[in-house]
Amino acid sequence: MKYGIVITTLAYYDLEDAVVYYEGKVNGLGKRMEADFWKSVDVIQKSPLGYRIRYVFYRQSMLEKFPYAVIYEVFGEKIIIYRVAHLKLQPEKRFKI
């Protein structure tokens, strides 16, 4: 079954902040970070229940090359992405929606 993806405004802001930060460090690095995010979304979409529940009913998928996690919930036939959180955030802040 193919799940639909819903990305919240907060998740878009998280992603935009990270992309701008990395692009400011090295030209092109922000684009690589964004590509890593979309690769993670593709993996989540193919196997959304493949990641264990980390907090209440939220699941977490880590990006492959950057210290960020995609925080999401499987709700029916939809995957709702709530955050793109830096892994140095304390869990109570990382899962704050």
Side-chain angles (χ1 to χ4, degrees):
M1 168 171 32
K2 185 137 180 170
Y3 290 81
I5 298 285
V6 176
I7 302 176
T8 64
T9 303
L10 182 57
Y12 272 119
Y13 287 149
D14 288 343
L15 178 61
E16 182 180 0
D17 286 348
V19 168
V20 168
Y21 171 79
Y22 283 113
E23 198 62 35
K25 293 290 183 188
V26 176
N27 191 25
L29 192 58
K31 291 177 184 176
R32 288 180 25 207
M33 192 278 178
E34 186 174 8
D36 198 14
F37 165 76
W38 288 111
K39 182 179 177 183
S40 182
V41 170
D42 287 342
V43 171
I44 291 168
Q45 192 171 28
K46 290 175 186 168
S47 182
L49 302 176
Y51 298 93
R52 70 183 180 96
I53 295 174
R54 300 286 297 189
Y55 182 78
V56 187
F57 43 75
Y58 301 115
R59 296 171 188 271
Q60 172 179 298
S61 168
M62 290 188 262
L63 271 60
E64 189 174 311
K65 298 177 182 173
F66 292 86
Y68 283 82
V70 177
I71 309 299
Y72 70 97
E73 170 189 13
V74 179
F75 189 77
E77 295 182 6
K78 292 182 184 175
I79 297 166
I80 304 169
I81 297 175
Y82 292 106
R83 299 290 310 263
V84 181
H86 196 284
L87 292 175
K88 284 196 175 185
L89 283 177
Q90 296 297 322
E92 59 271 7
K93 292 181 182 177
R94 190 180 317 157
F95 292 98
K96 187 175 181 182
I97 307 302

